[in-house]
């Protein structure tokens, strides 16, 4: 076999491999489930006072509303039971909105909620937005009076961040679904309680 034919064969193989990889990448990035998970929230608190015993801090930050919706209502499956969605866990992570970079470590918690498409929404109120030991670590520890009372990255007495809650689950047929929502919060120390 000539050198030219080998080079041409290699180029054809490389081109075919590239096309195959691009088509697989597209399939992996799209949600193949026949239902979509829709998540939103109602926020009750915008300010979190991290001082021990601060007023009004014994309530939930808000409610997460979850709903399963059939993507194409014209294609009704023979057995809708398999389109039900079981939410199995949520992940909490953080994004600073005040220019700072330090955030608490993300964490994952297990839950068990079953959603039926077309039957309305379900609310999640009892969820964590912050692990208890996170208040003794950066960036919150700097807000304590003994540590200066100011965030060293911004020079402010308040740390502003979005708390991102991602929910994960599967249809009863085994297809993965996920969605996320955000709570914008201000964290401060001894700032007239949570509100």
């Amino acid at each position: 076999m000539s050198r030219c034919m080998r080079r041409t064969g290699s180029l054809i193989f490389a081109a075919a491999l590239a096309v195959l990889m691009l088509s697989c990448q597209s399939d992996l990035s799209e949600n193949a489930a026949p239902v979509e998970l829709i998540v939103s929230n109602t926020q009750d608190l915008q300010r979190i006072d991290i001082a021990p015993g601060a007023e009004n801090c014994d309530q939930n930050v808000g409610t997460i509303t979850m709903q399963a919706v059939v993507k194409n209502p014209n294609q009704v499956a023979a057995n809708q039971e398999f389109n039900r969605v079981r939410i199995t866990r949520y992940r909490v992570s953080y994004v600073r909105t005040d220019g700072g970079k330090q955030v608490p470590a993300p964490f994952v918690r297990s839950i068990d909620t079953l959603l039926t498409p077309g039957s309305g929404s379900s609310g999640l109120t009892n969820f964590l937005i912050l692990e208890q030991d996170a208040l003794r670590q950066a960036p919150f520890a700097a807000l304590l009076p003994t540590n200066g009372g100011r965030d060293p990255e911004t020079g402010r007495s308040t740390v502003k961040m979005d708390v991102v809650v991602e929910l994960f689950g599967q249809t009863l047929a085994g297809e993965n679904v996920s969605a996320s929502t955000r709570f914008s919060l201000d964290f401060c120390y001894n700032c007239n309680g949570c509100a």
Side-chain angles (χ1 to χ4, degrees):
M1 183 183 270
S2 74
R3 200 161 140 189
C4 183
M5 289 180 73
R6 274 189 252 151
R7 183 178 296 168
T8 303
S10 296
L11 288 174
I12 291 172
F13 177 74
L17 184 61
V19 168
L20 180 64
M21 288 176 61
L22 286 174
S23 66
C24 289
Q25 184 178 18
S26 172
D27 289 344
L28 291 175
S29 64
E30 293 179 11
N31 181 353
V35 295
E36 185 173 358
L37 179 62
I38 307 293
V39 176
S40 62
N41 74 60
T42 304
Q43 190 165 339
D44 298 326
L45 296 177
Q46 281 77 35
R47 182 182 69 219
I48 306 295
D49 189 336
I50 64 171
E55 286 187 32
N56 205 30
C57 295
D58 58 349
Q59 61 180 307
N60 295 319
V61 169
T63 301
I64 296 175
T65 304
M66 305 170 290
Q67 184 176 14
V69 177
V70 176
K71 287 181 182 176
N72 186 352
N74 295 329
Q75 287 183 325
V76 177
N79 189 348
Q80 284 295 324
E81 179 68 19
F82 292 115
N83 283 340
R84 295 175 77 191
V85 175
R86 182 171 301 283
I87 306 300
T88 57
R89 67 194 184 287
Y90 67 91
R91 179 180 188 268
V92 177
S93 59
Y94 310 90
V95 177
R96 291 282 293 265
T97 58
D98 58 4
K101 301 289 184 230
Q102 290 185 327
V103 294
F107 64 91
V108 176
R109 289 285 180 268
S110 295
I111 60 173
D112 187 16
T113 301
L114 188 61
L115 305 174
T116 302
S119 69
S121 60
S122 178
L124 178 64
T125 55
N126 193 15
F127 59 94
L128 290 176
I129 60 151
L130 200 61
E131 292 185 305
Q132 188 63 34
D133 63 339
L135 295 176
R136 294 187 290 268
Q137 300 171 11
F140 307 116
L143 301 179
L144 302 175
T146 56
N147 295 332
R150 298 204 172 273
D151 177 43
E153 293 182 315
T154 64
R156 298 182 184 134
S157 59
T158 302
V159 170
K160 296 175 180 280
M161 66 176 65
D162 281 355
V163 177
V164 181
V165 181
E166 299 169 276
L167 292 115
F168 301 94
Q170 286 186 332
T171 65
L172 295 186
E175 291 119 346
N176 292 330
V177 294
S178 63
S180 66
T181 188
R182 290 177 177 237
F183 293 91
S184 294
L185 295 171
D186 297 343
F187 293 87
C188 51
Y189 185 88
N190 199 20
C191 52
N192 299 317
C194 295

